[in-house]
Amino acid sequence: MPAIHSYGFGLATENSAGEVIEVYYAHFGLDAGAEFASEVLTCCGLEPGQCGYVKLDGSLRERLRTHLGALANSEKTLVLCVLGADMPPASVAEAFLKLHLLSARLVKPHELNLNGMFGVLHNLAWTNEGPIDLDELHDRQLAARLQGRQLSVTSVDKFPKMSDYIVPSGVRIADTARVRLGAYLGEGTTVMHEGFINFNAGTEGPAMIEGRISAGVMVGANSDLGGGCSTMGTLSGGGKQVISVGKNCLIGANAGIGIPLANGCVIEAGLYVTAGTKVQLLNTQGELQRNCKALDLVGVEGLLFRRNSLSGAVECLPLQSEVELNEELHAHN
Amino acid sequence: MPAIHSYGFGLATENSAGEVIEVYYAHFGLDAGAEFASEVLTCCGLEPGQCGYVKLDGSLRERLRTHLGALANSEKTLVLCVLGADMPPASVAEAFLKLHLLSARLVKPHELNLNGMFGVLHNLAWTNEGPIDLDELHDRQLAARLQGRQLSVTSVDKFPKMSDYIVPSGVRIADTARVRLGAYLGEGTTVMHEGFINFNAGTEGPAMIEGRISAGVMVGANSDLGGGCSTMGTLSGGGKQVISVGKNCLIGANAGIGIPLANGCVIEAGLYVTAGTKVQLLNTQGELQRNCKALDLVGVEGLLFRRNSLSGAVECLPLQSEVELNEELHAHN
Amino acid sequence: MPAIHSYGFGLATENSAGEVIEVYYAHFGLDAGAEFASEVLTCCGLEPGQCGYVKLDGSLRERLRTHLGALANSEKTLVLCVLGADMPPASVAEAFLKLHLLSARLVKPHELNLNGMFGVLHNLAWTNEGPIDLDELHDRQLAARLQGRQLSVTSVDKFPKMSDYIVPSGVRIADTARVRLGAYLGEGTTVMHEGFINFNAGTEGPAMIEGRISAGVMVGANSDLGGGCSTMGTLSGGGKQVISVGKNCLIGANAGIGIPLANGCVIEAGLYVTAGTKVQLLNTQGELQRNCKALDLVGVEGLLFRRNSLSGAVECLPLQSEVELNEELHAHN
C-alpha cells in the first residue's frame, strides 16, 4: 500500500526564468491514507518513496479540484509537492514544504532530513511585493520608484519570516522579522523584540523568549530566555555540541550557553558558560566540593551557574527554588 | 462640576464579530474643562468618574462635529472614549487611549493605572493591511496571495509599534519595530537599531538608547545606554526591584543593571550588576574600603562599576569625570 | 582637463516646502572621463572642484537624455548631482550620493569626507509610502487611515536602510532594518538577524556578522562576529580609539572589543575587552609572562583573549588553530 511522508498544495513564485523560487502552501499535511497517497504520487509522476512536485495545469486542477479549495480558480502558478519519504530536499518546493511542516507543529525540530537545504534554497529579496530574484531586483526597484511606489526589501535571505506563512496558535511574536519559517513555537510561547528563533529550532511549550535560539536548539516548556541571551549554534563560530535547554530553566539577560542545559537550571545574567568553562562545584551550603568542566555537568538538573563577584570564579550549585513564568503575560496569547 | 481624566476621538478596527480590537486616536487629550467633560460623558452615557466609549453613529457625529474635524465624514468606525477617572482599563479603547497619552508625553510612565491591561488587549497580527484578528489571519493571507498581494505580518502582539500612531518631536528611532505604543520618549532621544523601549517606560530628555529599556524603567536626561545593554524588568525573569537610571549615566555596551542607578553613574561595558552582586567599594585612590552588596549602593551618585580584569572582582569607586553625549548626534533630531 | 570625483542621476523626494529630503540614485559612478566631467559640471553650473546638484527640467533632460535611460520620461523630480571633489557634503543630494558610493563598493569606508553629514541630513519618517518630512507625518497618517490604508513608519532616522537602494552582489541580510545606507558589505557577507552595520563601516570580504559593526569599523575577510557582540564606536559612549577587526578573527557571542584586533585573533564568548583592560599575557604553555594593557597588544596577530573562569583574570595567549567559516553558509549567497 503506498504511503507518503507529507504533501502540500501551494502558490509558487517563479523568477523570470520560470524557476520556482518560493512556495506558500495553502493546504498541507502528513500522510493522509493510501488512496490519497496513490493519487498525489501519480499526479506528480512519482513512485512510492520518491519526492517531487508538479505545476498544476488545467487538467490536474480539475482532477484535484476537491483538494484545491479556494486555490482551484487562481491564475497563479499552483504546485502540488509530495514527499514520498523524508529525503534531503532536492527542490525549493520540497524545502519549503518541510519548513511549513515544522512551523505548523506537524513535526518537531530534528525530526526532518534537511541535509543540503542551504544549497537548494535561493537567496531572495523578500519585499512588500513578494519574493524577488536578486538578479531582477534593481530593475524592479527602479520601475517601482518611477511609478511612485516604494519597493521595500525587508530581508535578503534564503528563509522568509515565519509569520507571512504560518502563525501557530497561542503565540506572540513582537518582531516577526526575527522568527524564520521552519521555527517551531510551542503553544504559549512569547517571543519578545530581542528574541530570535532560527529554523529547525524552537520551544516545546509555554516560554518567554527574549534571547536567541540558534538553529537546532530546542527549549523545554516553562523556560525563560532573558533579553539578549545566546544559545551557541553549530552552524558557525566553532560550536560542535548540540545545545538544548530543559524545562523550567532561566537563562539571564545577556548570558549564554555552549552546553545543553537540563531541567530547572539557571544561568545568572551576564554569564556565558561554554563547554570548556571550568567551574567550582559548591554544595547547598556554598562549600567548594571540587572543580570541573561545565561539560561534565551536562544532564544534571536544578543547577545555578553564577560568577562569584568577589573571586571572579564561575560557580555551580544546586538550586533550591524553582523558576516561574509570569502567568499574566502568557495566559492571554 | 464634572471633570474627566482624558478623552480621545479615534478610528477603530473591528474584527468580524464586531469587537473593537484597536483604536487610532486622531485627537485626544487630558481634561479640557467642565463643559467639554459634561458633553462627552453624556455622549458616552457615563456618569462622572466612569470610563467607557461609544461608537459614533450619525447623530453623535453631528452633535460632535466641531470636535471631529477630518474624521466627521469618514466611513470608518469612529469612537469617542472618555476616562472619567484613572481606573484600570476595561476595554481596548480605554487601554489604547492610555498608551496614546504616554507616547504623546501627556502623562509619564507610572502615572497611569494600567492594572489588568494585558488581559484587556487582544493579541493581534499587525500587518500592512492593518491589525487583524488572529482567527481571521489565515483566510486573509490566502485571499491576499490569490489576488497577488503580499499580506505581511510584522508583529503578533498585544501592543503595536508606537510610530504608526505617534512620533513625538525631537526623536530618532532607527528601527521602529522596537518601540511599543505606550513608550515615553523625551525630546532629544535617539533610539538606535539595537535600542528598545517597552510601554510605560522611557526617557526624561536627551538620551542615546542602544540598549533595552524594560517596562516600567525610566532613564534620566543625558544618559547613554550602550549597545545591547539590559535593564532588568519586573514582568518576567524574577526581578522584583523597579529599575531606573539617573541623569548623565552611562551603561556600557552589553552591560546590565538589576538595581536602580543614581545620577552620574557608569557601568563598564560587559558588566552585569544585579541586586545581589557583591562589590568591593574603593576610594578615589583605588584603595579597598569594604565589601557590600550592589543593592546597598542604590541612591549614591557618581559611581563607576567595573570588573577588575586581573582579580575578577566587581569594584565600585567614585567617578571623577562626567559622561557627555555627542551633541552632533542629537542637535538635529 | 576637468575631472570630477563622482556623479549620480537620481529620483528626489521633496517635502511640501520643495526641499530635497532624499535621493535614490538610479545611475551613479566615479569619474568617467574629462568630456563627461565637463558636461555634467556645466549642467550643474559648477566650476571644476565644486560640488552641487541641479533639478533636471525639460531642457536638461533633453540634453542628458542618453545618460538618463529609463529616468528620462519620469514625471518625478530628477536630479543630477556632481562632486567635483571629495568635500564635506553640503546638501542632502551630495550626502546621499556618498552613501550610495559606499554601499555600491565604489569607495571604501574612511575614503570619503563625510564631515558634517549629520547636520545636512534630514530626520525623516521612512514609510511604505516613501520618506516623509516629520512635520507632514501626522496629517499623512490620518489621511491614510481615513482612506483605509496603513501608513507604516519603519524608521525615524537620518539614514535609510541600504537594501531599499542597493543590494550588492553575494550578500545575505536577514533583517535589512539593521544595515544603513552607506554600509560596505564585501562579497560573501552574511548579516544575520542580530547583526548590524552602520554607515562608513563594513566588511572586506566573506564574513558572518551576527554582532554590531559600529560607524567607522571595518572587518577583514573571513571573520566571524558572534551573536550580539559589540565593536565599540567612536560616535558616542566615550570610545576614542578607531576600531577595526582583522582577517580570520572570531569575536564570540555577546563579547565586545574596544581595541583594534589584528588578523587571526579570537575573543571568547561573553568577554568585553576594552582599551584599559589589564590582561595576563601567557605563553603557549599557559605560563604567565607578564601583565599588560589590552591596548599594548594592538597589532599582534593570532591572539586568544579569554577570562579564566577560576581566577577571574582576563588572559591573552597565542592561538594555535585557525578560525574557519562554515563554507556551506556562504557558498550560495
Side-chain angles (χ1 to χ4, degrees), chain A residues 266-287:
Chain A
V266 173
I267 310 276
E268 179 192 54
L271 175 65
Y272 211 113
V273 177
T274 63
T277 300
K278 287 171 195 143
V279 304
Q280 294 184 344
L281 199 56
L282 310 183
N283 63 16
T284 52
Q285 278 70 49
E287 299 158 340

Side-chain angles (χ1 to χ4, degrees), chain C residues 216-238:
Chain C
V217 174
M218 274 304 275
V219 174
N222 299 305
S223 284
D224 185 328
L225 267 61
C229 80
S230 158
T231 55
M232 201 172 272
T234 53
L235 293 180
S236 68

